[in-house]
């Protein structure tokens, strides 16, 4: 007899497979540009082109204002960080450590919320890029060695920071500022070694600094 964790794991794997093949449920009534937490039953279907695992792929027929990104996103308040790296780089693991801790920044105690794991929908809204999860993956985080876990989720958040996961030997001690371009917007980008002891603290510190602005 299959337990509930097994059913959740199978459902999540199936959903990820559907998204990778180019079809996932999308709620056309939702407006990610509003910044509101939206709810409702998924309806309709949105076809996608083949997804580039590094730079993301355009949604077929959706113009240039939407993109499916390979990564994991978490948020503090309405500001999100996108963790990028190849499969197995440690995106979900680093997100888990950020989600499990509270972080003090100045006089505020901050905590992160999950936005999306593995696949992230980005939408251009004026000068802002808003992130959300495909409806079939919302609230799910893969924890290696345990399985698919469920988390309270922020439905949408504004992309404020991109973190590329790199080997420790490639991290500069005092890096020059750099940006990456997503859907035509310039986003601050940092390199972090994902399995360093302080990796989660660095992610939270960098994001909290942007939230405080």
């Amino acid at each position: 007899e299959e337990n509930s964790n097994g059913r959740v794991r199978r459902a999540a794997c199936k959903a990820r497979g559907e998204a990778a093949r180019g079809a996932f449920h999308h709620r056309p009534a939702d407006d990610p540009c509003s910044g509101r937490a939206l709810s409702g039953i998924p309806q309709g279907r949105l076809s996608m082109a083949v997804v580039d695992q590094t730079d993301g792929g355009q949604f077929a027929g959706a113009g240039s204002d939407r993109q499916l990104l390979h990564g994991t996103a978490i948020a503090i308040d309405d500001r999100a960080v996108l963790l990028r790296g190849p499969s197995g780089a440690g995106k979900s693991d680093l997100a888990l450590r950020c989600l499990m801790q509270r972080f003090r920044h100045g006089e505020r105690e901050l905590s992160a919320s999950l936005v999306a794991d593995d696949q992230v929908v980005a939408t251009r809204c004026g000068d802002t890029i808003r992130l959300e999860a495909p409806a079939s993956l919302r609230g799910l985080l893969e924890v290696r060695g345990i399985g698919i876990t469920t988390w309270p989720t922020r439905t949408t958040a504004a992309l404020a920071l991109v973190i590329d996961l790199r080997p420790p030997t490639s991290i500069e001690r005092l890096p020059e500022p750099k940006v990456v371009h997503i859907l035509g917007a310039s986003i601050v980008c940092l390199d972090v070694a994902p399995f360093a002891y302080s990796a989660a603290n660095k992610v939270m510190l960098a994001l909290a600094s942007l939230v405080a602005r």
Side-chain angles (χ1 to χ4, degrees):
E1 182 178 342
E2 186 179 32
N3 59 31
S4 59
N5 189 52
R7 288 193 297 271
V8 170
R9 186 182 298 109
R10 284 180 57 193
C13 290
K14 180 180 178 181
R16 283 178 172 156
E18 288 179 352
R21 286 194 300 271
F24 73 94
H25 292 292
H26 178 70
R27 296 175 296 168
D30 286 359
D31 179 12
C33 296
S34 69
R36 294 181 292 108
L38 305 170
S39 60
I41 299 174
Q43 51 186 301
R45 192 174 290 272
L46 182 65
S47 297
M48 300 183 303
V50 175
V51 176
D52 183 301
Q53 292 294 294
T54 302
D55 300 319
Q58 295 294 337
F59 287 103
S64 60
D65 62 341
R66 308 204 73 217
Q67 197 171 29
L68 183 70
L69 307 174
H70 178 65
T72 295
I74 60 173
I76 296 176
D77 295 339
D78 190 46
R79 298 293 184 94
V81 55
L82 176 66
L83 307 177
R84 304 194 306 182
S87 296
K91 300 181 293 296
S92 299
D93 187 274
L94 181 53
L96 173 66
R97 282 175 277 151
C98 292
L99 294 170
M100 292 290 290
Q101 72 174 25
R102 289 189 175 273
F103 181 82
R104 181 165 292 281
H105 186 256
E107 297 182 355
R108 294 187 63 193
E109 188 176 76
L110 304 173
S111 59
S113 300
L114 178 66
V115 177
D117 182 38
D118 189 59
Q119 302 196 32
V120 185
V121 179
T123 304
R124 179 74 184 252
C125 304
D127 295 331
T128 302
I129 306 298
R130 298 202 67 84
L131 304 182
E132 61 181 323
S136 56
L137 300 181
R138 189 164 295 153
L140 302 181
L141 178 73
E142 181 180 347
V143 179
R144 184 164 298 195
I146 294 179
I148 305 299
T149 60
T150 57
W151 293 79
T153 304
R154 187 172 187 92
T155 306
T156 177
L159 177 60
L161 175 67
V162 171
I163 288 185
D164 286 333
L165 306 188
R166 308 285 190 190
T169 54
S170 69
I171 305 297
E172 297 182 25
R173 293 183 62 183
L174 298 173
E176 294 293 328
K178 68 174 182 176
V179 298
V180 295
H181 301 284
I182 297 177
L183 292 174
S186 298
I187 309 296
V188 176
C189 182
L190 301 174
D191 295 335
V192 168
F195 298 112
Y197 181 79
S198 60
N201 289 334
K202 291 176 181 177
V203 172
M204 296 289 281
L205 176 62
L207 184 57
S209 298
L210 294 172
V211 170
R213 292 182 182 177

